[in-house]
Amino acid sequence: MNGNPIEFGLCASVLALGCAIFAVFFAFSSLKLNRPALMVSARQAMYMMPLLITFSCFTIIWSFVNLDFSVAYVVQNSNSKLPMIYRLSALWGAHEGSLMLWLWFLVIYSALATYIHRFSHPQSMPYIIITLALLQIGFLVFILFLSSPFTELVPPPLEGRELNPLLQDPGLIFHPPLLYLGYVGFSVPYAFAIAALIRGQADGEWAKATRKWTLFAWIALTSGILLGGYWAYYELGWGGYWAWDAVENASLMPWFTGTAFLHSILVLERRGLFATWNIFLVLVTFCLSLLGTFLVRSGVLTSVHAFATDPSRGVYILGFLSLVMIVSFGLLVFRSNRLYTPPQQQSFLSRESILLLNNIFLLCAAGTVFLGTLYPLIAEVITGAKVTVAAPYFNSVVLPFMIIVIFLMGIGPVIPWYNARRQASAYLLRKQFLYPVLCSLLFIAVGIGFGIRDMIGLFALSAVGFSLCSTLLDIFKDIKNRAQIEQTGKTVPRSYLKSFWHLLTWNRRRYGAMIVHIGVLIAALGMIASGTLNQVNTVTMAPGDRFQSGAYVLTFKGIEGVKGPNYSARRASFLISQQGHPLDIITAERRSYPRGNMVTTEAGIRSGFFEDLYIVLGQETKNDKAIIRFYYNPLINWIWFGWMILVAGSLLAFSQGRSQKVVFTNDGRVSEGALSP
Amino acid sequence: MTPLSSFYSPLLKSVGLAAMLALLFMLYIGLWRDPSHIPSAQIGHMAQTFNLSKLSDDNFIALEDYKGKWVMLNFWASWCGACRTEHATLVQAGKDFANTPNIALIGINYKDQKEKALRFLKRLGAFPYPSGQDPRGRTGIDYGVYGLPETYFINPEGKIFFRHVGAIKLEQIKKAFAPALKGAS
Amino acid sequence: MRFLSAFLLCTLMLINCVGAGELLNEAPNDTRLKIIASQLRCPVCQGESLFDSHAALAKEMKLIIREKIANGVSDQDILDFFQQRYGNYVLMRPAFNSTYALLWIAPFAFMFLAIIIFIIKWRSHSQTPLPADHQQQSPEQQQNSPN
């Protein structure tokens, strides 16, 4: 003990463990002794946790900033030449620290949930606190005993190791935290679900309470995944953004089930149906988040992302995961019959049924990704054979499911909820879907015109065309209806604009969702175009040689050697011109990091609205030539634009309070609701 | 009991639980396996022929020179750390089986330079059996080599019957040659 | 560093008198190599295709493919060549054989099963009688409800 800040961090974490145990103890006593007053102590313990863990994380970051090489974790992940910004984010650069990040977010979410719902769910709160605190204990025990970032080295070495050059990038600063905000964010709906199972009550009220937590976690997870794709695109230098790698799949699976939950929760809220199914989806989503954590760290699957492998750590995480799964699904199996659902009449042509179809296909997609990711392991355990399941499989099977979901995106919002007195008739729907169907055919024609011959690509285009038209028509119809109601007598365009604004602000959930759907469709267009119309060409060039990519001519200008803070590089320059007019100079590099003994490529990317020109420098040959790989990616930036729109829409939907107009209760009655947040 | 809850029949629930437990068990087993290990696809198949120039002199060494014998084929290189570990074992095995006429040991110097390989042998001790040069690694690809060291065992019919990845131990060599020794005595 | 300043651009334009270089295209053999190498997996990489990989073994394998292309070997024969030596592991696309049967069938089987169950259950539920009092909403109220 020599007064290192890191030791205080360790103390704080040990205290936090005690705190979490206290929380469980008090919440449990409050239940057993039927003394709600004990919950005050439990809540206070939950509020203490973020303070302690934030302090612990702070001491780790402080050790990085000050290059305190007596801390083993600092030695393994930084050195004196590492730029400051990467020292700040090195906390989550490796296994031990990323677990601390998980825990940090968990305690913050838990405290927030405890605070926000401190009055609104008195009967569920003890169970929620117990669940969250037990999760915290699980992680703390793992961190303190098996993966401590607090271990010290005596005597401290003089220099640290090099952080993996691929991770020395702005993307690393944001991608893991966003992703973890998503994963960990599902722990609150999970805790609510466990409480609901134990109490035997999951209804519209439960749905409303968990809605915002789920939406926030979903926004974070979606953004984390897309940011990861964006980062892979410009950093890894293979011209793509998604490789169906095991760890990527591990983040996609909870995304599918989380999206399914986000949609099925609407049915629970609106009509009180599918209580058990909703709970099942929450449990599955959270367990998949934990499974993802397991897969990354255990060495069970090969992946470019995987952290250093260690079976003993894998055993603990697997044990923890098993416990969570057995308890969760055990509860579900034995208590689901308590979740009373009143008998309801239903029809095929209703929003409920479309939402259920949405769930089916999203789950099929999730299940396929699951099967494909684990198949090599299953095959090896059963037959001993080594097999490869890679992008071609996933693209062939998962994409069609996702495309069907996109079709449903254009059908669901248009079809009304079930109403016995006024059933949706096929005739009316035929009218409504005429234009979308025409639009989908138009999109197919345009795709063929651009040269797309891939069946899945054309199928996807038709879905996007259909849903885009349907969504836009729907919004326009609402604006028109609203404008007619207002009848302000003003000129038509202004009235429309005013109506649109009114709709946006008054019914933020619905229009937020429409905007999210539009964002998804634009991103889908980007994926379709860059997936079917992209070109990759490998050429050996001498200085002065030119290559034509699309409408652009790229002239190779030559290679020079450059030096960076911790690397030396060969940099190639290209002049990009269009129809003889020079536009820009793009450079591509091959970097050597002597300390890490690694070579990375920095692609030269020219991003435009309609396409990306992406250049990768390969090896140089003996006669002053170089092997260059050119990628032409049409519409790839629409993926990121779509993502922005999606986030905007989600935030809009998130901003709506609980009930502003009317509340629709389980049996379809209309009543006024309290204007609570 | 509402109609909806009868959907989740006991059968569905038990199947679900069983599948979950099977998955967890499989993940547990997976922890102890090496995901990067590729089993050989050529076990039971005819070994690919090769005709390489020897490391020690200008002659050639070919697989068919050893037709009818039990052959151990070891891929090694001077740049391979684990090859150093198994080097003494291989030298010993070479000496032990020198007088067994139906057993032959061959080395293949994989993706290496002659001078470096010879220096390696000078430092650690020469193999008591010949090595062929595979500078481009073509022969390695023919056998499905993906990392060093790898050792293949070929029976008198010319089929590969065993492959070991990583540094090999003397007991493993003896075990692989057990049928050869039984036949010999 | 992807965009230089306009000044630098102008300067470079002035000295842009590198001799008339060739306008190049990807060689047709390279295109075939690209197609074949994309269908093979690099045995020593974490899930990369031979085309994307920079590993030494991958480079040698690509050289072999190049030689075979030059010798007129068909795509399928080249794939078979590597499959013989490295097994199914080296193929990027799981084949339609017994090893992978479950993989291809399961997703669609599950989907059909789910849809059939959906139809059956939905049909049985639509026979359930209504609760006694059920208020009507106008279509617009329906459309503009919170989702």
Side-chain angles (χ1 to χ4, degrees):
Chain A
M1 284 287 284
N2 45 1
N4 258 349
I6 200 75
E7 288 163 5
F8 292 114
L10 176 61
C11 288
S13 291
V14 174
L15 278 176
L17 181 59
C19 223
I21 297 177
F22 267 152
V24 176
F25 175 71
F26 280 118
F28 192 67
S29 316
S30 156
L31 278 176
K32 282 294 160 200
L33 303 176
N34 208 5
R35 287 176 56 186
L38 287 174
M39 280 300 292
V40 178
S41 308
R43 280 203 292 271
Q44 282 171 349
M46 293 299 270
Y47 298 152
M48 250 330 250
M49 298 288 293
L51 298 175
L52 293 169
I53 300 295
T54 305
F55 179 72
S56 285
C57 289
F58 179 71
T59 60
I60 300 177
I61 298 179
W62 183 255
S63 305
F64 269 108
V65 168
N66 288 334
L67 289 173
D68 183 355
F69 289 132
S70 65
V71 180
Y73 190 62
V74 175
V75 170
Q76 284 154 10
N77 295 294
S78 72
N79 58 60
S80 46
K81 289 204 188 61
L82 192 67
M84 174 60 79
I85 187 99
Y86 302 123
R87 277 189 251 156
L88 288 170
S89 61
L91 168 67
W92 50 84
H95 165 66
E96 295 89 344
S98 73
L99 281 180
M100 277 302 286
L101 190 70
W102 229 100
L103 179 67
W104 194 9
F105 286 163
L106 183 60
V107 298
I108 294 178
Y109 268 118
S110 308
L112 268 177
T114 311
Y115 181 75
I116 291 176
H117 296 286
R118 65 194 183 286
F119 298 131
S120 51
H121 293 89
Q123 283 157 320
S124 300
M125 249 352 234
Y127 300 106
I128 296 175
I129 288 186
I130 291 176
T131 309
L132 290 171
L134 283 176
L135 287 174
Q136 291 167 5
I137 292 173
F139 271 88
L140 268 169
V141 165
F142 185 50
I143 290 174
L144 288 173
F145 296 106
L146 284 173
S147 304
S148 173
F150 303 108
T151 48
E152 292 182 79
L153 293 173
V154 176
L158 291 169
E159 183 60 274
R161 270 190 248 149
E162 176 77 338
L163 182 66
N164 188 335
L166 284 175
L167 301 177
Q168 290 179 35
D169 185 272
L172 171 69
I173 301 176
F174 297 107
H175 167 59
L178 260 181
L179 209 55
Y180 285 16
L181 265 183
Y183 282 156
V184 185
F186 284 112
S187 63
V188 174
Y190 172 76
F192 270 88
I194 296 287
L197 274 178
I198 296 180
R199 290 186 51 221
Q201 202 170 45
D203 54 10
E205 197 53 39
W206 175 84
K208 278 201 257 295
T210 59
R211 181 196 141 237
K212 281 200 174 185
W213 293 105
T214 309
L215 187 53
F216 185 76
W218 184 85
I219 300 174
L221 186 60
T222 311
S223 299
I225 294 175
L226 284 170
L227 183 61
Y230 180 64
W231 177 50
Y233 178 65
Y234 76 78
E235 177 62 24
L236 293 182
W238 56 279
Y241 52 87
W242 187 264
W244 296 107
D245 176 72
V247 168
E248 290 173 347
N249 294 347
S251 68
L252 193 59
M253 289 188 276
W255 186 83
F256 279 138
T257 58
T259 308
F261 177 55
L262 212 54
H263 289 81
S264 71
I265 212 179
L266 301 171
V267 185
L268 182 59
E269 194 181 343
R270 181 75 172 72
R271 299 206 63 211
L273 297 173
F274 307 158
T276 314
W277 178 246
N278 272 289
I279 298 220
F280 171 72
L281 284 177
V282 185
L283 299 182
V284 164
T285 306
F286 186 66
C287 289
L288 283 172
S289 302
L290 284 181
L291 180 68
T293 309
F294 168 74
L295 286 177
V296 178
R297 285 151 220 288
S298 60
V300 167
L301 299 168
T302 53
S303 160
V304 291
H305 290 80
F307 290 108
T309 67
D310 185 346
S312 66
R313 289 174 174 172
V315 170
Y316 180 90
I317 304 181
L318 185 58
F320 183 56
L321 174 66
S322 307
L323 198 60
V324 171
M325 282 176 75
I326 292 175
V327 167
S328 314
F329 292 107
L331 268 176
L332 181 64
V333 159
F334 293 115
R335 305 286 281 224
S336 66
N337 48 358
R338 287 229 201 156
L339 298 171
Y340 176 71
T341 312
Q344 295 272 14
Q345 189 157 353
Q346 289 137 34
S347 138
F348 274 129
L349 284 175
S350 63
R351 200 172 295 182
E352 301 93 288
S353 98
I354 301 293
L355 286 173
L356 193 56
L357 277 178
N358 153 299
N359 271 207
I360 289 178
F361 285 102
L362 279 172
L363 278 230
C364 282
T368 307
V369 173
F370 186 78
L371 182 66
T373 307
L374 288 175
Y375 199 77
L377 175 63
I378 298 174
E380 200 189 336
V381 166
I382 296 182
T383 66
K386 195 82 175 175
V387 298
T388 290
V389 181
Y393 171 73
F394 291 109
N395 284 334
S396 306
V397 184
V398 178
L399 288 185
F401 289 140
M402 289 167 73
I403 295 170
I404 296 178
V405 174
I406 292 186
F407 258 118
L408 292 172
M409 202 189 284
I411 303 180
V414 170
I415 293 191
W417 294 100
Y418 177 78
N419 183 318
R421 301 289 160 82
R422 222 196 140 95
Q423 303 205 20
S425 75
Y427 170 71
L428 280 174
L429 291 177
R430 219 180 306 152
K431 250 181 44 153
Q432 204 141 29
F433 289 125
L434 176 64
Y435 282 120
V437 168
L438 288 179
C439 193
S440 80
L441 293 174
L442 177 68
F443 268 59
I444 295 181
V446 168
I448 294 180
F450 271 102
I452 301 179
R453 295 289 177 270
D454 176 51
M455 289 311 329
I456 294 184
L458 289 174
F459 182 41
L461 262 185
S462 68
V464 170
F466 178 85
S467 295
L468 205 52
C469 182
S470 170
T471 310
L472 290 173
L473 270 184
D474 197 28
I475 296 180
F476 187 67
K477 201 160 61 89
D478 286 347
I479 297 177
K480 224 168 83 158
N481 284 339
R482 183 81 224 163
Q484 280 167 1
I485 291 178
E486 291 207 355
Q487 287 181 331
T488 56
K490 297 204 171 76
T491 56
V492 164
R494 209 169 133 210
S495 165
Y496 275 19
L497 218 54
K498 209 165 137 194
S499 314
F500 183 54
W501 184 251
H502 184 265
L503 288 171
L504 263 188
T505 50
W506 190 236
N507 200 343
R508 285 174 262 164
R509 277 179 69 177
R510 176 172 160 85
Y511 292 96
M514 307 285 250
I515 295 176
V516 169
H517 286 173
I518 293 178
V520 171
L521 292 170
I522 293 184
L525 267 179
M527 292 182 194
I528 296 169
S530 62
T532 54
L533 291 173
N534 66 336
Q535 291 166 27
V536 186
N537 292 293
T538 314
V539 201
T540 310
M541 299 182 102
D545 284 343
R546 291 163 290 137
F547 179 76
Q548 177 139 15
S549 188
Y552 302 93
V553 173
L554 299 100
T555 312
F556 179 37
K557 302 201 72 61
I559 298 188
E560 48 172 1
V562 292
K563 266 199 165 326
N566 47 355
Y567 63 85
S568 65
R570 301 287 295 160
R571 177 185 294 169
S573 312
F574 296 85
L575 176 69
I576 301 187
S577 46
Q578 187 177 21
Q579 287 168 334
H581 304 297
L583 291 173
D584 223 333
I585 295 197
I586 302 291
T587 61
E589 291 178 17
R590 261 174 85 86
R591 290 188 186 169
S592 297
Y593 287 83
R595 279 200 69 91
N597 205 16
M598 266 190 79
V599 173
T600 67
T601 52
E602 296 290 310
I605 308 180
R606 180 176 197 269
S607 295
F609 186 72
F610 286 112
E611 78 281 296
D612 262 15
L613 294 171
Y614 187 105
I615 308 173
V616 178
L617 173 63
Q619 298 223 294
E620 294 169 63
T621 59
K622 291 202 174 40
N623 42 358
D624 275 338
K625 290 193 180 186
I627 302 179
I628 318 276
R629 194 170 276 184
F630 293 100
Y631 293 84
Y632 178 79
N633 293 322
L635 293 193
I636 197 163
N637 294 307
W638 288 29
I639 302 178
W640 325 123
F641 298 151
W643 171 28
M644 304 288 151
I645 298 176
L646 185 152
V647 171
S650 328
L651 291 175
L652 183 67
F654 187 83
S655 67
Q656 178 159 3
R658 284 183 126 213
S659 32
Q660 288 187 265
K661 264 201 313 191
V662 290
V663 168
F664 300 94
T665 58
N666 285 351
D667 57 1
R669 249 189 285 234
V670 174
S671 66
E672 291 299 327
L675 287 168
S676 53
Chain B
M1 277 294 182
T2 67
L4 204 58
S5 64
S6 66
F7 173 79
Y8 302 107
S9 63
L11 175 66
L12 185 68
K13 292 179 181 180
S14 13
V15 166
L17 275 180
M20 183 183 81
L21 291 172
L23 168 72
L24 290 172
F25 181 65
M26 197 122 28
L27 288 174
Y28 178 71
I29 297 184
L31 275 178
W32 306 108
R33 288 172 174 259
D34 178 5
S36 58
H37 172 75
I38 311 173
S40 173
Q42 300 190 54
I43 305 272
H45 294 256
M46 293 295 290
Q48 299 284 339
T49 55
F50 58 82
N51 195 349
L52 307 170
S53 57
K54 272 162 99 169
L55 195 58
S56 48
D57 52 48
D58 289 327
N59 290 334
F60 283 82
I61 182 170
L63 184 60
E64 48 191 18
D65 299 341
Y66 299 87
K67 203 159 30 177
K69 295 194 186 180
W70 297 80
V71 178
M72 181 194 90
L73 198 61
N74 170 261
F75 285 85
W76 63 276
S78 62
W79 46 262
C80 154
C83 302
R84 265 161 246 245
T85 317
E86 66 169 10
H87 190 84
T89 309
L90 291 170
V91 169
Q92 183 64 43
K95 292 193 186 127
D96 288 347
F97 293 114
N99 295 325
T100 321
N102 64 340
I103 290 184
L105 280 68
I106 310 173
I108 298 202
N109 184 234
Y110 175 81
K111 276 184 160 305
D112 207 353
Q113 289 160 359
K114 188 167 177 176
E115 313 78 49
K116 293 194 175 155
L118 288 171
R119 237 182 298 154
F120 176 85
L121 290 182
K122 202 153 136 201
R123 218 184 19 233
L124 290 169
F127 288 118
Y129 53 79
S131 280
Q133 294 180 62
D134 185 20
R136 304 281 296 279
R138 293 295 171 98
T139 310
I141 291 180
D142 268 344
Y143 279 79
V145 169
Y146 64 95
L148 287 194
E150 288 189 23
T151 312
Y152 293 79
F153 290 86
I154 306 169
N155 64 17
E157 295 165 40
K159 293 199 179 148
I160 301 177
F161 67 92
F162 180 59
R163 175 188 71 178
H164 180 83
V165 173
I168 197 167
K169 299 202 191 72
L170 198 55
E171 310 86 64
Q172 289 168 311
I173 302 179
K174 292 208 165 109
K175 192 164 147 220
F177 278 139
L181 297 166
K182 258 205 306 245
S185 59
Chain C
M1 281 236 303
R2 302 196 181 101
F3 303 99
L4 296 182
S5 67
F7 171 70
L8 200 53
L9 190 61
C10 293
T11 318
L12 273 161
M13 276 161 59
L14 282 176
I15 59 173
N16 182 22
C17 44
V18 272
E22 293 178 68
L23 183 64
L24 298 174
N25 256 316
E26 184 175 70
N29 276 359
D30 277 339
T31 310
R32 254 191 91 191
L33 172 69
K34 178 169 66 183
I35 295 173
I36 298 174
S38 302
Q39 296 179 48
L40 288 168
R41 178 184 184 157
C42 164
V44 295
C45 313
Q46 315 271 39
E48 279 180 294
S49 75
L50 218 55
F51 181 66
D52 291 326
S53 167
H54 299 293
L57 178 60
K59 289 199 188 124
E60 195 62 40
M61 288 168 79
K62 280 186 269 195
L63 271 169
I64 295 180
I65 298 176
R66 220 183 262 279
E67 285 166 17
K68 287 191 182 291
I69 291 176
N71 286 338
V73 182
S74 74
D75 284 12
Q76 188 56 46
D77 287 342
I78 297 179
L79 293 173
D80 288 342
F81 175 85
F82 286 107
Q83 191 201 1
Q84 261 173 12
R85 283 149 181 77
Y86 285 95
N88 280 334
Y89 181 74
V90 82
L91 296 173
M92 279 295 263
R93 186 184 183 83
F96 291 101
N97 59 28
S98 58
T99 322
Y100 296 105
L102 181 67
L103 201 59
W104 289 107
I105 296 176
F108 299 106
F110 183 71
M111 178 188 78
F112 282 123
L113 204 67
I115 292 181
I116 291 173
I117 296 179
F118 165 70
I119 295 177
I120 296 176
K121 284 295 164 186
W122 213 254
R123 192 163 284 173
S124 74
H125 286 313
S126 53
Q127 317 301 339
T128 322
L130 275 177
D133 46 339
H134 182 96
Q135 201 154 13
Q136 182 183 355
Q137 296 131 35
S138 73
E140 191 201 299
Q141 266 185 310
Q142 283 240 322
Q143 290 275 47
N144 285 339
S145 68
N147 287 282

